[in-house]
Amino acid sequence: MSEYLKRLNETKHRYPFARWQDSGLEQYTPEACASFVAVFDALVARLASTGEDAPESQKIAAFEAAVQALNKLNEEDVSLIETGEREDLCELCNLIATAAGIDPTKYGDGEGPASEWRDW
């Protein structure tokens, strides 16, 4: 496995969703948390298949798709992404961007790629 793939896969250990589920808040059902995992697993997989040497624009397109999927989850249930979760999601996007060789501060007015498209 390449170093690039290792870096991307290691970001999965930083997913906050099990912690959300363990929080005791009723909206973080196993199904809801699995939806978040699916979005980020798809992002990591797309970045992996795109490849380390792909143009940054292709990698950023993967983030746009992921953030749009998160927007849809938020539309379906606005209680899923509140302040703490918003911070977790932005941090996770920045972590994955860095693993993919992207400087997250170049996007979203310095906040990272999630802030380019997020509605939450």
Side-chain angles (χ1 to χ4, degrees):
M1 180 182 299
S2 74
E3 191 60 35
Y4 177 70
L5 292 178
K6 283 182 187 175
R7 286 193 316 265
L8 287 173
N9 284 325
E10 286 173 4
T11 64
K12 293 181 179 186
H13 299 292
R14 303 282 299 276
Y15 285 6
F17 314 119
R19 177 173 43 83
W20 292 6
Q21 191 173 335
D22 292 341
S23 71
L25 296 172
E26 65 184 40
Q27 67 265 39
Y28 300 116
T29 64
E31 297 79 19
C33 290
S35 296
F36 284 101
V37 169
V39 168
F40 281 94
D41 281 354
L43 171 60
V44 169
R46 184 168 171 186
L47 290 168
S49 68
T50 300
E52 184 170 17
D53 297 326
E56 190 164 309
S57 61
Q58 284 184 329
K59 294 178 182 179
I60 287 299
F63 283 91
E64 181 177 7
V67 173
Q68 295 296 349
L70 294 171
N71 287 343
K72 185 173 180 178
L73 288 175
N74 189 57
E75 287 173 16
E76 292 169 4
D77 184 348
V78 295
S79 73
L80 288 176
I81 303 176
E82 297 180 350
T83 302
E85 293 77 24
R86 182 174 21 259
E87 291 171 1
D88 285 346
L89 294 172
C90 288
E91 181 180 324
L92 183 57
C93 283
N94 290 349
L95 181 73
I96 294 170
T98 300
I102 297 169
D103 177 359
T105 63
K106 290 173 45 179
Y107 298 93
D109 294 325
E111 292 181 5
S115 294
E116 289 283 326
W117 305 281
R118 69 181 177 88
D119 293 334
W120 28 272

